[in-house]
Amino acid sequence: MEDHKIVQRNLALQREWYGEPLGDRVRRLVVAFNVSQAQLADVLGISAPMLSQVMSGRRAKIGNPSVLARMIMLERKVLTPDVATGAPEALQRALDDVRESKPTVSRDSLPVNGDESVAYPVLRRVADRVELQQAADLLHEDFPAIAELFRRAIRAAGYPVK
């Protein structure tokens, strides 16, 4: 198979396996954390040439599940309030946390930051306080856990919840 066809096949596989090409995900992290690809590779625990091959589609997958777990950790950290500000010390702290992590991946769990508070800013970007409250009220009977998540997002923004 010629190189172009291999790359296209690998990118299609990445869309299937990871939801989108890994190059897109990695580029967002490079921009969000203001680092080079080589620096990001170091944080993820992968060689810079390997990361480049995955990004370009010359390789289809990240073979080490811990590397994927670290990438997901970074993607989630982007959503945290301190990292979202872009403050250099917050960015560096997040990168150091992920670099020093020792994720283990099992069939039942992927070790990522389980702190649901990372969802609060996202929820508040897609819905204002009133919409979140209305959604919580509608969901309360059948989906109380989701309703409570919406209420916590409202409280985290400093608003009272009825």
Side-chain angles (χ1 to χ4, degrees):
M1 215 187 293
E2 67 183 65
D3 285 347
H4 176 73
K5 288 182 180 180
I6 292 170
V7 167
Q8 292 308 309
R9 183 202 64 185
N10 289 346
L11 292 174
L13 287 171
Q14 288 178 2
R15 281 186 197 90
E16 179 182 335
W17 296 336
Y18 304 109
E20 66 183 312
L22 289 172
D24 295 345
R25 292 175 71 171
V26 170
R27 277 186 280 285
R28 280 196 300 274
L29 291 172
V30 164
V31 170
F33 287 97
N34 194 28
V35 294
S36 68
Q37 286 179 23
Q39 290 169 313
L40 182 63
D42 177 62
V43 169
L44 295 174
I46 189 172
S47 72
M50 179 71 74
L51 183 61
S52 177
Q53 290 173 3
V54 169
M55 288 180 66
S56 67
R58 288 190 308 263
R59 283 182 152 307
K61 67 179 180 172
I62 295 175
N64 184 336
S66 294
V67 172
L68 180 59
R70 286 188 197 96
M71 183 183 326
I72 293 169
M73 288 177 187
L74 281 176
E75 289 173 330
R76 292 192 176 184
K77 284 186 179 287
V78 168
L79 302 174
T80 60
D82 59 333
V83 172
T85 67
E89 59 279 356
L91 297 175
Q92 190 60 53
R93 200 169 35 252
L95 291 167
D96 291 344
D97 286 348
V98 171
R99 179 186 293 109
E100 294 166 11
S101 70
K102 303 282 187 238
T104 56
V105 179
S106 71
R107 200 174 32 178
D108 300 322
S109 67
L110 187 60
V112 294
N113 181 355
D115 181 7
E116 70 183 27
S117 68
V118 299
Y120 301 161
V122 175
L123 289 170
R124 290 192 305 263
R125 274 197 295 268
V126 298
D128 64 23
R129 178 180 58 86
V130 172
E131 291 171 320
L132 288 172
Q133 182 65 62
Q134 290 172 342
D137 293 345
L138 287 171
L139 294 171
H140 178 73
E141 284 296 316
D142 295 323
F143 305 99
I146 296 172
E148 184 56 30
L149 176 69
F150 290 173
R151 289 186 190 102
R152 285 194 294 266
I154 295 167
R155 281 189 213 99
Y159 295 109
V161 176
K162 66 173 188 162

